[in-house]
Amino acid sequence: MAAEEMVYQLNIVLREVEPTVWRRVLVRSDTSIALLHQVVQVAMGWEDAHLHKFRIHGCDYGIAYEGGIVFTTDPKAVRLDQFKLCAGERLQYEYDFGDFWQHDLRLESVLPPDPKKKYPRCVAGQHSCLPEDCGGPEGHRQGVLERLSLSAMDGGHGADQ
């Protein structure tokens, strides 16, 4: 007999950025790694234009692309409930191996499904995700510092003022 499907409440946090960018999502426990990738992409506002991988229990999972990273498992067949995750446990998600966007996904709680609701769903979050291809957390910080320096040199006035 198959175990009853549950709902995982995941907190997704983009590492090394201020202010903290986070989302809370609800996904079914039978969610595949392939679908979880799409959930993170949509919830965070990414464009799915780069390679990615999950690190779960010390192993990497993801979608293989010709000329890119190779995985030994089918991401559509690997389901979250296979990992027997406990509340508080963390997964890692890396997106764009050049910009190195790292996310922590923490299982906040395991809930019974609400038959009136559809999953997956994003239920909370704060702050906009940073733009893709800006150099990752470090590139974004450098860009902010450059803009602040230019503003200070300009006396805080815009070039068109």
Side-chain angles (χ1 to χ4, degrees):
M1 183 172 149
E4 179 185 356
E5 297 306 328
M6 300 298 286
V7 172
Y8 288 171
Q9 179 175 298
L10 297 171
N11 182 276
I12 305 168
V13 176
L14 182 59
R15 288 187 194 169
E16 298 184 33
V17 298
E18 291 293 331
T20 301
V21 176
W22 67 272
R23 304 290 182 268
R24 178 170 292 121
V25 297
L26 302 176
V27 298
R28 289 170 41 116
S29 58
D30 64 349
T31 296
S32 70
I33 293 299
L35 179 56
L36 185 59
H37 162 68
Q38 292 301 318
V39 169
V40 174
Q41 288 290 303
V42 170
M44 297 304 285
W46 296 121
E47 298 175 10
D48 198 11
H50 302 282
L51 299 175
H52 73 279
K53 69 179 177 181
F54 287 94
R55 180 163 277 270
I56 306 169
H57 293 167
C59 295
D60 292 338
Y61 300 89
I63 300 170
Y65 294 95
E66 189 173 322
I69 193 166
V70 175
F71 299 98
T72 59
T73 57
D74 176 358
K76 293 178 182 172
V78 177
R79 299 170 14 153
L80 288 177
D81 56 6
Q82 294 173 292
F83 296 103
K84 310 256 187 272
L85 301 170
C86 299
E89 204 164 345
R90 295 179 191 274
L91 324 172
Q92 295 174 349
Y93 174 79
E94 184 179 331
Y95 176 61
D96 187 346
F97 300 154
D99 280 1
F100 201 55
W101 296 111
Q102 291 189 316
H103 307 72
D104 283 321
L105 283 72
R106 184 171 57 88
L107 178 59
E108 293 182 315
S109 60
V110 179
L111 309 165
D114 181 341
K116 297 176 194 152
K117 294 184 179 171
K118 293 188 184 277
Y119 304 99
R121 63 190 303 125
C122 184
V123 296
Q126 199 167 26
H127 300 108
S128 296
C129 207
L130 303 176
E132 293 197 43
D133 300 318
C134 72
E138 185 57 32
H140 183 262
R141 277 191 290 280
Q142 288 299 102
V144 168
L145 290 174
E146 287 172 17
R147 286 190 297 279
L148 289 173
S149 294
L150 290 173
S151 178
M153 289 188 325
D154 189 24
H157 298 94
D160 56 347
Q161 290 186 0

